[in-house]
Amino acid sequence: MQTMYEQMDTAALDAALADLTRQVDEVKAKGLKLDMARGKPSPAQVDISRPMLDLLSSGADLTDEGVDCSNYGCFEGIPSARRLAGEFLGLPADQTIVLGSSSLNIMQSVLIHYWEKGVPGYTPWSKLDRVKWLCPAPGYDRHFGITQDLGIENVPVRMTETGPDMDEVERLCAADDSIKGMFCVPKYSNPTGITYSDETVRRLATMKAAPDFRIMWDNAYAVHDFTDTPDVLANVFDLAREAGNEDRILGVASTSKITFPGAGIAFFGSSAANVGEVANTLKVGLISANKLNQLMHTRFLPDLDAVHTHMRKHAEFLRPRFACVEEKLEEGLAGTGCGTWSHPHGGYFVSFDGPEGSAKRVGALCAEMGVKLTPAGATWPGGNDPHDTNIRIAPTYPSVEELSEALDVLVLAVKLVSAQLAREARA
């Protein structure tokens, strides 16, 4: 599809370029300093969890079902926290471990474990000639960094409206035993906001793959709904167990965007065999995680119903911000052919695609006008977006007023770069 600028005659295009350049100069003169680079909750969102801080005082009972949370021990996590983890992940509590605040850290630890020791019964990945990892893209840059740091070859797989392109995933896994795993953000995926369809989840759980193939099931946005029609995700653990592949799925989640970012509790869950085996390695370097933090969290959020009630408060902050994104992009770019974007029901991001060859230029132009975006290319392994189109919009941190202004800048940048590309094609 051509952009509106590609459809103009040269005189009209040059006039449009002059007008857009003038508008950009006017914005630069304002000296804006706006940030849409990372998916962080706003300060007001974080504040709704402050009552949790009052739950443990010097006179509080610091035990959880007989566990003394003020002392060493209970590596796997206190009973109430493991039950909450099980509800989050869709697993029995005894197939979970509750650790520190970071699910990303858990993922790195587990992958290092397999890199150094191997999946039980198989060669450590570090001793193989070649190890590959599937990366649905656009996707989460920090995922790609973990495997890249280990020397694993990241292989991008295109995201579709129902999740990763499963025809491609199945073809690659069936043909290549060096593919040892895959990242998945299955609900409100980062950055597209897509939730995997039931069929996609089933195929991931049942497809042919190397026996030591593992799926890192990062359900980071499991409860982050902000519409009246939230997406529903199938239970991958049940489907994998039925197919005899229960060891395939490595589940993680955390409360980082539920309570306090960087100060929540994080969960790992998998088959009983996986949990026991990974725990044996992690125990070497950790006697127990912060059980007082676990206790404080479960007294504030004792079960998943309480979590959903809490998340409805978060939704009151998120809903107007995502509505603002939709309104500004629709108002500024609908019908221009200069961009398409996702329409999520939850999560923290909107995925935007401009014309081919535009994303880096749009990001640089936005920076010149005082708006910081996630670096173009970050949503692809190695920072290499093959068509240079994707931009991750993170609308959660700024106020609605700041967000509105930042989006006006983004729309203007997309228009000018689209016009420039159209003019360069005629040179």
Side-chain angles (χ1 to χ4, degrees), residues 173-194:
C173 288
D176 189 350
D177 278 353
S178 71
I179 296 174
K180 298 302 182 185
M182 178 178 182
F183 290 117
C184 291
V185 182
K187 186 173 180 181
Y188 305 137
S189 189
N190 177 355
T192 62
I194 289 167

Side-chain angles (χ1 to χ4, degrees), residues 278-356:
V278 167
N280 284 337
T281 287
L282 297 183
K283 282 178 180 178
V284 173
L286 179 67
I287 297 172
S288 63
N290 185 340
K291 295 191 294 298
L292 292 178
N293 196 30
Q294 295 177 20
L295 183 64
M296 182 167 58
H297 273 78
T298 56
R299 287 185 179 172
F300 187 58
L301 301 170
D303 54 34
L304 207 54
D305 286 341
V307 172
H308 285 304
T309 298
H310 186 66
M311 294 308 295
R312 283 193 284 273
K313 298 176 184 177
H314 279 284
E316 294 302 314
F317 293 94
L318 295 174
R319 197 176 296 115
R321 286 168 167 79
F322 280 83
C324 180
V325 174
E326 185 66 31
E327 177 185 342
K328 286 293 183 177
L329 295 182
E330 181 72 20
E331 176 187 279
L333 295 173
T336 67
C338 296
T340 59
W341 55 93
S342 59
H343 313 277
H345 296 155
Y348 259 62
F349 305 101
V350 173
S351 181
F352 178 88
D353 281 289
E356 186 159 348

Side-chain angles (χ1 to χ4, degrees), residues 102-115:
S102 172
S103 55
L104 191 70
N105 182 251
I106 295 173
M107 288 185 273
Q108 182 186 41
S109 296
V110 172
L111 291 183
I112 288 173
H113 169 75
Y114 291 139
W115 181 257

Side-chain angles (χ1 to χ4, degrees), residues 24 27 32 34 36 325 328-329 332-333 338 340-341 350-354 358-359 361-367 369-374 389-394 402-418:
V24 167
V27 173
L32 299 177
L34 304 170
M36 288 199 300
V325 174
K328 286 293 183 177
L329 295 182
L333 295 173
C338 296
T340 59
W341 55 93
V350 173
S351 181
F352 178 88
D353 281 289
S358 68
R361 291 170 66 165
V362 167
L365 184 55
C366 283
M369 289 189 280
V371 173
K372 185 179 180 181
L373 301 174
T374 302
T389 63
N390 189 251
I391 293 171
R392 185 179 73 174
I393 299 174
E402 291 171 333
L403 176 63
S404 178
E405 196 167 16
L407 290 164
D408 284 338
V409 171
L410 173 61
V411 166
L412 177 57
V414 169
K415 286 182 173 179
L416 178 54
V417 171
S418 298

Side-chain angles (χ1 to χ4, degrees), residues 161-341:
E161 290 300 313
T162 57
D165 182 343
M166 285 308 301
D167 289 342
E168 181 71 355
V169 170
E170 290 177 339
R171 183 187 69 79
L172 289 169
C173 288
D176 189 350
D177 278 353
S178 71
I179 296 174
K180 298 302 182 185
M182 178 178 182
F183 290 117
C184 291
V185 182
K187 186 173 180 181
Y188 305 137
S189 189
N190 177 355
T192 62
I194 289 167
T195 296
Y196 292 11
S197 69
D198 290 357
E199 179 66 8
T200 293
V201 177
R202 184 193 64 78
R203 290 170 74 176
L204 287 167
T206 61
M207 68 184 184
K208 179 182 177 183
D212 53 346
F213 177 87
R214 295 293 181 262
I215 295 176
M216 193 60 76
W217 195 253
D218 182 6
N219 206 357
Y221 306 105
V223 295
H224 295 69
D225 313 301
F226 55 72
T227 73
D228 295 329
T229 55
D231 295 352
V232 177
L233 178 69
N235 187 316
V236 69
F237 299 100
D238 289 345
L239 293 168
R241 190 183 312 109
E242 291 166 6
N245 293 326
E246 64 177 339
D247 292 339
R248 176 177 293 181
I249 313 301
L250 309 169
V252 295
S254 79
T255 66
S256 281
K257 291 185 177 73
I258 297 171
T259 55
F260 294 98
I265 54 176
F267 319 124
F268 171 71
S270 187
S271 67
N274 278 349
V275 168
E277 195 255 340
V278 167
N280 284 337
T281 287
L282 297 183
K283 282 178 180 178
V284 173
L286 179 67
I287 297 172
S288 63
N290 185 340
K291 295 191 294 298
L292 292 178
N293 196 30
Q294 295 177 20
L295 183 64
M296 182 167 58
H297 273 78
T298 56
R299 287 185 179 172
F300 187 58
L301 301 170
D303 54 34
L304 207 54
D305 286 341
V307 172
H308 285 304
T309 298
H310 186 66
M311 294 308 295
R312 283 193 284 273
K313 298 176 184 177
H314 279 284
E316 294 302 314
F317 293 94
L318 295 174
R319 197 176 296 115
R321 286 168 167 79
F322 280 83
C324 180
V325 174
E326 185 66 31
E327 177 185 342
K328 286 293 183 177
L329 295 182
E330 181 72 20
E331 176 187 279
L333 295 173
T336 67
C338 296
T340 59
W341 55 93

Side-chain angles (χ1 to χ4, degrees), residues 380-398:
W380 287 76
N384 181 30
D385 178 349
H387 300 290
D388 189 24
T389 63
N390 189 251
I391 293 171
R392 185 179 73 174
I393 299 174
T396 55
Y397 187 80

